[in-house]
Coordinates of all heavy atoms in Angstrom, one line a residue:
G509 N -5.0 -4.4 -12.3 CA -5.0 -3.8 -11.0 C -5.0 -2.3 -11.1 O -4.3 -1.7 -11.9
E510 N -5.7 -1.7 -10.2 CA -5.8 -0.3 -10.0 C -4.7 0.2 -9.1 O -4.3 -0.5 -8.2 CB -7.2 0.1 -9.5 CG -8.3 -0.3 -10.5 CD -8.2 0.4 -11.8 OE1 -7.9 1.6 -11.8 OE2 -8.5 -0.2 -12.8
E511 N -4.3 1.4 -9.2 CA -3.4 2.1 -8.3 C -4.1 3.3 -7.7 O -4.8 4.0 -8.4 CB -2.1 2.5 -9.0 CG -1.3 1.3 -9.4 CD 0.1 1.7 -9.9 OE1 0.6 2.8 -9.7 OE2 0.7 0.8 -10.5
F512 N -3.8 3.6 -6.4 CA -4.4 4.8 -5.8 C -3.4 5.2 -4.8 O -2.5 4.5 -4.3 CB -5.8 4.5 -5.2 CG -5.8 3.4 -4.1 CD1 -5.6 3.8 -2.8 CD2 -6.0 2.1 -4.5 CE1 -5.7 2.8 -1.8 CE2 -6.0 1.1 -3.5 CZ -5.9 1.4 -2.2
A513 N -3.5 6.4 -4.3 CA -2.6 7.0 -3.3 C -3.4 7.3 -2.1 O -4.6 7.7 -2.1 CB -2.0 8.3 -3.8
V514 N -2.7 7.1 -0.9 CA -3.3 7.5 0.4 C -2.3 8.5 1.0 O -1.1 8.2 1.1 CB -3.5 6.3 1.3 CG1 -3.9 6.7 2.7 CG2 -4.5 5.3 0.7
I515 N -2.7 9.6 1.4 CA -1.8 10.6 2.1 C -2.2 10.7 3.5 O -3.4 11.0 3.9 CB -2.0 12.0 1.4 CG1 -1.5 11.9 -0.1 CG2 -1.1 13.0 2.2 CD1 -1.8 13.1 -0.8
L516 N -1.3 10.3 4.4 CA -1.5 10.4 5.8 C -0.6 11.6 6.4 O 0.5 11.4 6.7 CB -1.0 9.1 6.5 CG -1.7 7.8 6.0 CD1 -1.1 6.6 6.6 CD2 -3.2 7.9 6.3
S517 N -1.3 12.7 6.4 CA -0.5 13.9 6.9 C -0.2 13.8 8.3 O -0.9 13.2 9.1 CB -1.4 15.2 6.6 OG -2.6 15.1 7.4
D518 N 1.0 14.4 8.7 CA 1.5 14.4 10.0 C 1.6 13.0 10.6 O 1.4 12.7 11.8 CB 0.6 15.2 11.0 CG 0.6 16.7 10.5 OD1 1.6 17.2 10.1 OD2 -0.5 17.3 10.6
T519 N 1.9 12.0 9.8 CA 2.1 10.6 10.2 C 3.4 10.1 9.7 O 3.7 9.9 8.6 CB 1.0 9.7 9.6 OG1 -0.3 10.3 9.9 CG2 1.0 8.3 10.1
P520 N 4.3 9.9 10.7 CA 5.7 9.4 10.3 C 5.6 7.9 9.8 O 4.6 7.2 10.0 CB 6.5 9.4 11.6 CG 5.5 9.5 12.7 CD 4.2 10.1 12.1
L521 N 6.6 7.5 9.1 CA 6.6 6.2 8.4 C 6.3 5.1 9.4 O 5.6 4.2 9.1 CB 7.9 6.0 7.7 CG 8.1 4.8 6.8 CD1 7.0 4.8 5.7 CD2 9.5 4.7 6.3
D522 N 6.9 5.2 10.6 CA 6.8 4.1 11.6 C 5.4 4.0 12.1 O 5.0 2.9 12.6 CB 7.8 4.2 12.7 CG 7.6 5.5 13.6 OD1 7.1 6.5 13.0 OD2 8.0 5.4 14.7
R523 N 4.6 5.0 12.0 CA 3.1 5.0 12.4 C 2.3 4.7 11.1 O 1.2 4.1 11.3 CB 2.7 6.3 13.0 CG 3.4 6.4 14.4 CD 2.9 7.5 15.3 NE 1.4 7.4 15.4 CZ 0.7 8.5 15.4 NH1 1.2 9.7 15.3 NH2 -0.6 8.4 15.5
A524 N 2.7 5.0 10.0 CA 1.9 4.8 8.8 C 1.9 3.3 8.4 O 0.8 2.8 8.0 CB 2.4 5.6 7.6
L525 N 3.0 2.6 8.6 CA 3.1 1.2 8.2 C 2.0 0.4 8.9 O 1.3 -0.4 8.2 CB 4.5 0.7 8.4 CG 5.5 1.3 7.4 CD1 6.9 0.8 7.8 CD2 5.2 0.9 6.0
P526 N 1.9 0.5 10.2 CA 0.8 -0.4 10.9 C -0.6 0.0 10.4 O -1.5 -0.8 10.4 CB 1.1 -0.2 12.3 CG 2.2 0.7 12.5 CD 2.7 1.1 11.2
V527 N -0.8 1.3 10.2 CA -2.1 1.7 9.7 C -2.5 1.1 8.4 O -3.6 0.5 8.2 CB -2.2 3.3 9.6 CG1 -3.5 3.7 8.9 CG2 -2.1 3.9 11.0
L528 N -1.5 1.1 7.5 CA -1.8 0.5 6.2 C -1.8 -1.0 6.2 O -2.6 -1.6 5.5 CB -0.7 1.0 5.2 CG -0.8 2.5 4.9 CD1 0.5 3.0 4.2 CD2 -2.0 2.8 4.1
E529 N -1.1 -1.6 7.1 CA -1.1 -3.0 7.3 C -2.5 -3.4 7.8 O -3.1 -4.4 7.3 CB 0.0 -3.5 8.2 CG 0.1 -5.0 8.4 CD 0.5 -5.7 7.1 OE1 1.3 -5.2 6.3 OE2 -0.1 -6.8 6.9
E530 N -3.0 -2.7 8.7 CA -4.4 -3.0 9.3 C -5.4 -2.8 8.2 O -6.3 -3.6 8.1 CB -4.7 -2.1 10.5 CG -6.0 -2.4 11.1 CD -6.3 -1.5 12.3 OE1 -5.4 -1.0 12.9 OE2 -7.5 -1.3 12.6
L531 N -5.3 -1.8 7.4 CA -6.2 -1.5 6.3 C -6.1 -2.7 5.3 O -7.2 -3.2 4.8 CB -5.9 -0.2 5.6 CG -6.7 0.2 4.4 CD1 -8.2 0.4 4.8 CD2 -6.2 1.4 3.8
R532 N -4.9 -3.2 5.0 CA -4.8 -4.3 4.0 C -5.4 -5.5 4.6 O -6.2 -6.2 3.8 CB -3.3 -4.5 3.8 CG -3.0 -5.6 2.8 CD -1.5 -6.1 2.8 NE -1.2 -6.7 4.1 CZ -1.5 -7.9 4.5 NH1 -2.3 -8.6 3.7 NH2 -1.2 -8.3 5.7
E533 N -5.2 -5.8 5.8 CA -5.8 -7.0 6.4 C -7.3 -6.9 6.5 O -8.0 -7.9 6.1 CB -5.3 -7.2 7.8 CG -3.8 -7.7 7.9 CD -3.3 -8.0 9.3 OE1 -4.2 -8.2 10.2 OE2 -2.1 -7.9 9.4
S534 N -7.9 -5.8 6.9 CA -9.3 -5.6 6.9 C -10.0 -5.7 5.6 O -11.0 -6.3 5.4 CB -9.7 -4.2 7.6 OG -9.2 -4.2 8.9
F535 N -9.3 -5.1 4.6 CA -9.9 -5.1 3.2 C -9.9 -6.5 2.7 O -10.9 -6.9 2.0 CB -9.0 -4.2 2.3 CG -9.5 -4.1 0.9 CD1 -10.6 -3.3 0.6 CD2 -8.9 -4.8 -0.1 CE1 -11.0 -3.1 -0.7 CE2 -9.3 -4.6 -1.4 CZ -10.4 -3.8 -1.7
G536 N -8.9 -7.3 3.0 CA -8.8 -8.7 2.6 C -9.9 -9.6 3.2 O -10.2 -10.7 2.7
N537 N -10.5 -9.2 4.3 CA -11.6 -9.9 4.9 C -13.0 -9.6 4.4 O -13.9 -10.3 4.8 CB -11.5 -9.7 6.4 CG -10.3 -10.4 7.1 OD1 -9.9 -11.4 6.6 ND2 -9.8 -9.7 8.1
I538 N -13.1 -8.6 3.6 CA -14.4 -8.2 3.0 C -14.8 -9.2 2.0 O -14.1 -9.5 1.0 CB -14.4 -6.8 2.4 CG1 -14.1 -5.8 3.5 CG2 -15.7 -6.5 1.8 CD1 -13.8 -4.4 3.0
R539 N -16.0 -9.8 2.1 CA -16.5 -10.8 1.1 C -17.1 -10.0 0.0 O -18.0 -9.2 0.2 CB -17.5 -11.7 1.8 CG -17.0 -12.4 3.0 CD -16.0 -13.5 2.8 NE -16.6 -14.5 1.9 CZ -15.9 -15.5 1.4 NH1 -14.6 -15.6 1.7 NH2 -16.4 -16.4 0.7
Q540 N -16.7 -10.3 -1.2 CA -17.3 -9.7 -2.4 C -18.2 -10.7 -3.1 O -18.0 -11.9 -3.1 CB -16.1 -9.4 -3.4 CG -15.0 -8.5 -2.9 CD -15.5 -7.1 -2.5 OE1 -16.3 -6.6 -3.2 NE2 -14.9 -6.6 -1.5
A541 N -19.3 -10.2 -3.6 CA -20.3 -11.1 -4.3 C -19.9 -11.2 -5.8 O -19.8 -10.2 -6.5 CB -21.7 -10.5 -4.2
G542 N -19.8 -12.5 -6.2 CA -19.5 -12.8 -7.6 C -20.8 -13.3 -8.2 O -21.8 -13.5 -7.5
A543 N -20.7 -13.6 -9.5 CA -21.9 -14.2 -10.2 C -22.3 -15.5 -9.6 O -23.5 -15.7 -9.4 CB -21.5 -14.4 -11.7
D544 N -21.4 -16.4 -9.3 CA -21.7 -17.7 -8.7 C -21.2 -18.0 -7.3 O -21.6 -19.0 -6.7 CB -21.1 -18.8 -9.7 CG -21.7 -18.7 -11.1 OD1 -22.9 -18.4 -11.2 OD2 -20.9 -18.9 -12.0
S545 N -20.4 -17.1 -6.8 CA -19.8 -17.3 -5.5 C -19.3 -16.0 -4.9 O -19.3 -15.0 -5.5 CB -18.7 -18.3 -5.5 OG -17.6 -17.8 -6.3
E546 N -18.9 -16.1 -3.6 CA -18.2 -15.0 -3.0 C -16.7 -15.1 -3.1 O -16.2 -16.2 -3.2 CB -18.6 -14.9 -1.5 CG -20.1 -14.5 -1.3 CD -20.4 -14.3 0.2 OE1 -19.7 -14.9 1.0 OE2 -21.3 -13.5 0.5
F547 N -16.0 -14.0 -3.0 CA -14.6 -14.0 -3.0 C -14.0 -12.9 -2.2 O -14.7 -11.9 -1.9 CB -14.0 -14.0 -4.5 CG -14.4 -12.8 -5.2 CD1 -13.5 -11.7 -5.3 CD2 -15.6 -12.7 -5.9 CE1 -13.9 -10.5 -6.0 CE2 -16.0 -11.5 -6.6 CZ -15.1 -10.4 -6.6
C548 N -12.7 -12.9 -1.9 CA -12.0 -11.8 -1.3 C -10.9 -11.3 -2.2 O -10.4 -12.1 -3.0 CB -11.4 -12.3 0.1 SG -12.6 -12.8 1.3
V549 N -10.5 -10.1 -2.0 CA -9.4 -9.5 -2.8 C -8.3 -9.0 -1.8 O -8.5 -8.9 -0.6 CB -9.9 -8.4 -3.7 CG1 -10.9 -8.9 -4.7 CG2 -10.6 -7.3 -2.9
S550 N -7.2 -8.8 -2.4 CA -6.0 -8.3 -1.6 C -5.4 -7.1 -2.3 O -5.7 -6.8 -3.5 CB -5.0 -9.4 -1.4 OG -4.5 -9.8 -2.6
F551 N -4.5 -6.4 -1.7 CA -3.7 -5.4 -2.3 C -2.3 -5.3 -1.7 O -2.1 -5.7 -0.6 CB -4.4 -4.0 -2.3 CG -4.5 -3.4 -1.0 CD1 -3.4 -2.6 -0.5 CD2 -5.6 -3.5 -0.2 CE1 -3.5 -2.0 0.8 CE2 -5.7 -2.8 1.0 CZ -4.7 -2.1 1.5
S552 N -1.4 -4.8 -2.5 CA -0.1 -4.5 -2.1 C 0.0 -3.0 -1.9 O -0.7 -2.2 -2.6 CB 0.9 -5.0 -3.1 OG 0.9 -6.4 -3.2
C553 N 1.0 -2.6 -1.1 CA 1.1 -1.1 -0.8 C 2.6 -0.8 -0.7 O 3.4 -1.4 0.0 CB 0.4 -0.9 0.5 SG 0.3 0.9 1.0
G554 N 3.0 0.3 -1.5 CA 4.3 0.8 -1.4 C 4.2 2.2 -0.6 O 3.3 3.0 -0.9
V555 N 5.1 2.4 0.3 CA 5.0 3.5 1.2 C 6.3 4.3 1.2 O 7.4 3.8 1.3 CB 4.7 3.1 2.7 CG1 4.5 4.3 3.6 CG2 3.5 2.2 2.8
A556 N 6.2 5.6 1.0 CA 7.3 6.5 1.1 C 6.9 7.7 1.9 O 5.7 8.0 2.1 CB 7.7 7.0 -0.3
A557 N 7.9 8.4 2.5 CA 7.5 9.5 3.5 C 8.4 10.7 3.3 O 9.6 10.6 2.9 CB 7.6 8.9 4.9
Y558 N 7.9 11.8 3.7 CA 8.6 13.0 3.9 C 9.2 13.0 5.3 O 8.4 12.5 6.2 CB 7.7 14.2 3.7 CG 8.3 15.6 4.0 CD1 9.0 16.2 3.0 CD2 8.2 16.1 5.2 CE1 9.6 17.5 3.2 CE2 8.8 17.4 5.5 CZ 9.5 18.0 4.5 OH 10.1 19.2 4.7
P559 N 10.3 13.4 5.7 CA 11.3 14.1 4.9 C 12.4 13.2 4.2 O 13.3 13.8 3.6 CB 12.0 15.0 5.9 CG 12.0 14.2 7.2 CD 10.7 13.4 7.1
A560 N 12.2 11.9 4.3 CA 13.2 11.0 3.6 C 13.3 11.4 2.1 O 14.4 11.4 1.6 CB 12.9 9.6 3.8
Q561 N 12.2 11.7 1.5 CA 12.1 12.2 0.2 C 11.5 13.6 0.3 O 10.5 13.8 0.9 CB 11.2 11.3 -0.7 CG 11.8 10.0 -1.1 CD 11.7 8.9 0.0 OE1 10.7 8.8 0.6 NE2 12.8 8.2 0.2
Q562 N 12.2 14.6 -0.3 CA 11.8 16.0 -0.1 C 10.8 16.5 -1.1 O 10.1 17.4 -0.8 CB 13.1 16.8 -0.2 CG 14.0 16.6 1.0 CD 13.6 17.1 2.3 OE1 13.1 18.2 2.4 NE2 13.7 16.3 3.3
V563 N 10.7 15.9 -2.3 CA 9.9 16.5 -3.3 C 8.8 15.5 -3.6 O 9.0 14.3 -3.6 CB 10.8 16.6 -4.6 CG1 9.9 17.2 -5.8 CG2 12.0 17.5 -4.3
A564 N 7.6 16.0 -3.9 CA 6.4 15.2 -4.1 C 6.6 14.1 -5.2 O 6.2 12.9 -5.0 CB 5.2 16.0 -4.5
E565 N 7.3 14.5 -6.3 CA 7.6 13.5 -7.3 C 8.5 12.4 -6.8 O 8.3 11.2 -7.2 CB 8.2 14.2 -8.5 CG 7.3 15.1 -9.3 CD 7.1 16.5 -8.7 OE1 7.8 16.8 -7.7 OE2 6.3 17.3 -9.2
E566 N 9.4 12.7 -6.0 CA 10.3 11.7 -5.4 C 9.5 10.7 -4.5 O 9.8 9.5 -4.5 CB 11.5 12.3 -4.7 CG 12.5 11.4 -4.1 CD 13.3 10.7 -5.2 OE1 13.3 11.1 -6.4 OE2 14.0 9.7 -4.8
I567 N 8.7 11.3 -3.7 CA 7.8 10.5 -2.8 C 7.0 9.5 -3.6 O 7.0 8.3 -3.3 CB 6.9 11.4 -1.9 CG1 7.8 12.2 -0.9 CG2 5.9 10.5 -1.1 CD1 7.0 13.2 -0.2
L568 N 6.4 10.0 -4.7 CA 5.6 9.1 -5.5 C 6.4 8.1 -6.2 O 6.0 6.9 -6.2 CB 4.8 10.0 -6.6 CG 3.9 9.2 -7.5 CD1 2.8 8.5 -6.8 CD2 3.3 10.2 -8.5
F569 N 7.6 8.4 -6.7 CA 8.5 7.5 -7.4 C 8.9 6.4 -6.4 O 8.9 5.2 -6.7 CB 9.7 8.2 -7.9 CG 10.7 7.3 -8.6 CD1 10.5 6.8 -9.9 CD2 11.8 6.9 -7.9 CE1 11.4 6.0 -10.5 CE2 12.8 6.1 -8.5 CZ 12.5 5.6 -9.8
R570 N 9.3 6.8 -5.2 CA 9.8 5.8 -4.2 C 8.6 4.9 -3.7 O 8.8 3.7 -3.6 CB 10.4 6.5 -3.0 CG 11.7 7.2 -3.3 CD 12.8 6.3 -3.8 NE 13.9 7.1 -4.1 CZ 14.9 6.7 -4.9 NH1 14.8 5.4 -5.4 NH2 15.9 7.4 -5.2
A571 N 7.5 5.4 -3.6 CA 6.3 4.6 -3.2 C 6.0 3.6 -4.3 O 5.7 2.4 -4.0 CB 5.1 5.5 -2.9
D572 N 6.0 4.1 -5.5 CA 5.8 3.2 -6.7 C 6.8 2.1 -6.8 O 6.5 0.9 -7.0 CB 5.7 4.0 -8.0 CG 5.0 3.3 -9.1 OD1 3.9 2.8 -8.8 OD2 5.5 3.3 -10.2
E573 N 8.1 2.4 -6.5 CA 9.1 1.4 -6.5 C 8.9 0.3 -5.4 O 9.0 -0.9 -5.7 CB 10.5 2.1 -6.1 CG 11.4 2.2 -7.2 CD 12.7 2.8 -6.8 OE1 12.9 3.3 -5.6 OE2 13.6 2.9 -7.6
A574 N 8.5 0.8 -4.2 CA 8.2 -0.1 -3.2 C 6.9 -1.0 -3.5 O 6.9 -2.2 -3.2 CB 7.9 0.6 -1.8
L575 N 5.9 -0.4 -4.2 CA 4.8 -1.2 -4.6 C 5.1 -2.3 -5.5 O 4.7 -3.4 -5.3 CB 3.8 -0.2 -5.3 CG 2.6 -0.9 -6.0 CD1 1.7 -1.7 -5.0 CD2 1.8 0.1 -6.7
Y576 N 5.9 -2.0 -6.5 CA 6.3 -3.1 -7.4 C 7.2 -4.1 -6.8 O 7.1 -5.3 -7.1 CB 6.9 -2.5 -8.7 CG 5.8 -1.9 -9.6 CD1 5.5 -0.6 -9.6 CD2 5.1 -2.8 -10.4 CE1 4.4 -0.1 -10.3 CE2 4.1 -2.3 -11.2 CZ 3.7 -1.0 -11.1 OH 2.7 -0.5 -11.9
K577 N 8.0 -3.7 -5.8 CA 8.8 -4.7 -5.1 C 7.9 -5.6 -4.3 O 8.1 -6.8 -4.2 CB 9.8 -3.9 -4.1 CG 10.8 -4.8 -3.5 CD 11.8 -4.0 -2.7 CE 12.8 -4.9 -2.0 NZ 13.8 -4.1 -1.3
A578 N 6.9 -5.0 -3.7 CA 5.9 -5.8 -2.9 C 5.2 -6.8 -3.8 O 5.0 -8.0 -3.5 CB 4.9 -4.9 -2.2
K579 N 4.8 -6.4 -5.0 CA 4.2 -7.3 -6.0 C 5.1 -8.4 -6.4 O 4.7 -9.6 -6.5 CB 3.7 -6.5 -7.2 CG 2.5 -5.6 -7.0 CD 2.2 -4.9 -8.2 CE 0.9 -4.0 -8.0 NZ 0.5 -3.4 -9.3
H580 N 6.4 -8.1 -6.6 CA 7.4 -9.1 -7.0 C 7.7 -10.1 -5.9 O 8.2 -11.2 -6.1 CB 8.6 -8.5 -7.6 CG 8.4 -7.9 -8.9 ND1 8.3 -8.6 -10.1 CD2 8.3 -6.6 -9.3 CE1 8.1 -7.8 -11.1 NE2 8.1 -6.5 -10.6
Q581 N 7.5 -9.7 -4.6 CA 7.8 -10.5 -3.5 C 6.6 -11.4 -3.1 O 6.6 -12.1 -2.1 CB 8.2 -9.7 -2.3 CG 9.6 -9.1 -2.5 CD 10.1 -8.4 -1.3 OE1 9.4 -8.3 -0.2 NE2 11.2 -7.7 -1.4
G582 N 5.5 -11.4 -3.9 CA 4.4 -12.3 -3.7 C 3.1 -11.6 -3.4 O 2.1 -12.2 -3.2
R583 N 3.0 -10.3 -3.5 CA 1.8 -9.5 -3.4 C 1.2 -9.6 -2.0 O 1.7 -10.2 -1.1 CB 0.7 -10.0 -4.4 CG 1.2 -9.9 -5.8 CD 0.2 -10.3 -6.8 NE 0.6 -10.3 -8.2 CZ 0.4 -9.3 -9.0 NH1 -0.3 -8.2 -8.7 NH2 0.9 -9.3 -10.2
N584 N 0.1 -8.8 -1.8 CA -0.6 -8.8 -0.5 C 0.3 -8.4 0.6 O 0.3 -9.1 1.7 CB -1.4 -10.1 -0.3 CG -2.4 -9.9 0.8 OD1 -3.0 -8.9 1.0 ND2 -2.8 -11.0 1.5
R585 N 1.0 -7.3 0.5 CA 1.9 -6.9 1.6 C 2.1 -5.4 1.5 O 1.9 -4.8 0.5 CB 3.2 -7.6 1.5 CG 4.0 -7.4 0.2 CD 5.2 -8.3 0.0 NE 4.7 -9.7 -0.1 CZ 5.3 -10.8 0.4 NH1 6.3 -10.7 1.2 NH2 4.8 -12.0 0.2
V586 N 2.7 -4.8 2.6 CA 3.0 -3.4 2.7 C 4.5 -3.3 2.8 O 5.1 -3.9 3.7 CB 2.3 -2.8 3.9 CG1 2.8 -1.3 4.1 CG2 0.8 -2.9 3.8
L587 N 5.1 -2.5 1.9 CA 6.6 -2.3 2.0 C 6.9 -0.9 2.0 O 6.3 -0.1 1.2 CB 7.3 -3.0 0.8 CG 7.4 -4.5 0.8 CD1 8.2 -5.0 -0.5 CD2 8.1 -5.0 2.0
A588 N 7.9 -0.5 2.7 CA 8.4 0.9 2.8 C 9.5 1.1 1.8 O 10.3 0.2 1.5 CB 8.9 1.3 4.2
A589 N 9.6 2.3 1.2 CA 10.7 2.7 0.3 C 12.0 2.7 1.1 O 12.0 3.0 2.2 CB 10.4 4.0 -0.4

């Protein structure tokens, strides 16, 4: 699995969560072409926000923590730090 970051500037956590949830759902509906068939993929997302975490490294650490918690809870979900 790949990891990537999304920065939603001027977006508080309570507004970021539904945006990322909608993105997760939409992404999961995209049909991918395989060698013999089509398939769909999913992703989990860990979210952290300023000012709850003040330093960039802390935001990244908390988001990563939430990501791994989402994966351990069954994947294909968005969780806040």
Side-chain angles (χ1 to χ4, degrees):
E510 299 297 321
E511 291 187 18
F512 60 93
V514 175
I515 299 172
L516 301 173
S517 61
D518 298 321
T519 307
L521 187 61
D522 65 331
R523 291 192 51 221
L525 291 172
V527 168
L528 293 166
E529 186 63 38
E530 182 179 337
L531 179 64
R532 185 194 61 76
E533 288 181 22
S534 296
F535 185 76
N537 290 326
I538 298 171
R539 305 289 299 171
Q540 307 291 326
D544 297 324
S545 63
E546 290 186 334
F547 62 94
C548 296
V549 295
S550 65
F551 70 85
S552 295
C553 185
V555 185
Y558 175 86
Q561 286 79 43
Q562 295 286 316
V563 180
E565 290 82 5
E566 182 69 14
I567 294 170
L568 181 59
F569 178 79
R570 295 294 177 203
D572 200 46
E573 254 184 353
L575 169 62
Y576 282 97
K577 187 174 182 180
K579 288 180 178 184
H580 288 286
Q581 289 183 3
R583 303 180 183 262
N584 197 27
R585 62 190 68 222
V586 176
L587 286 183

